[in-house]
Amino acid sequence: MKKIPNNVVSELIRLIPVLIANLPEKRSTRLDNTVRLLKKCIEKLKSLEEL
């Protein structure tokens, strides 16, 4: 498994929610599903960062 630097993980945790919040209201089902999955990934990354 490849190691990811902490600063990259921190930037993702900080920037992805901003990106999600600024998506247009009218979106496709595919985009809605992607947002849902990204939110789950962000929670996992946050828990890993706290370790």
Side-chain angles (χ1 to χ4, degrees):
M1 182 179 242
K2 203 171 196 180
K3 293 189 178 189
I4 301 171
N6 287 341
N7 64 332
V8 173
V9 174
S10 296
E11 287 293 313
L12 283 172
I13 291 172
R14 185 176 68 83
L15 293 174
I16 291 177
V18 173
L19 180 64
I20 290 172
N22 289 303
L23 288 173
E25 289 296 321
K26 255 189 163 175
R27 15 183 225 229
S28 67
T29 333
R30 180 179 282 173
L31 186 57
D32 285 338
N33 192 36
T34 304
V35 168
R36 182 182 60 80
L37 293 173
L38 273 174
K39 286 180 181 180
K40 285 184 178 181
C41 288
I42 291 169
E43 292 304 316
K44 288 178 186 176
L45 285 173
K46 282 182 182 177
S47 67
L48 287 176
E49 186 181 47
E50 293 172 358
L51 293 176

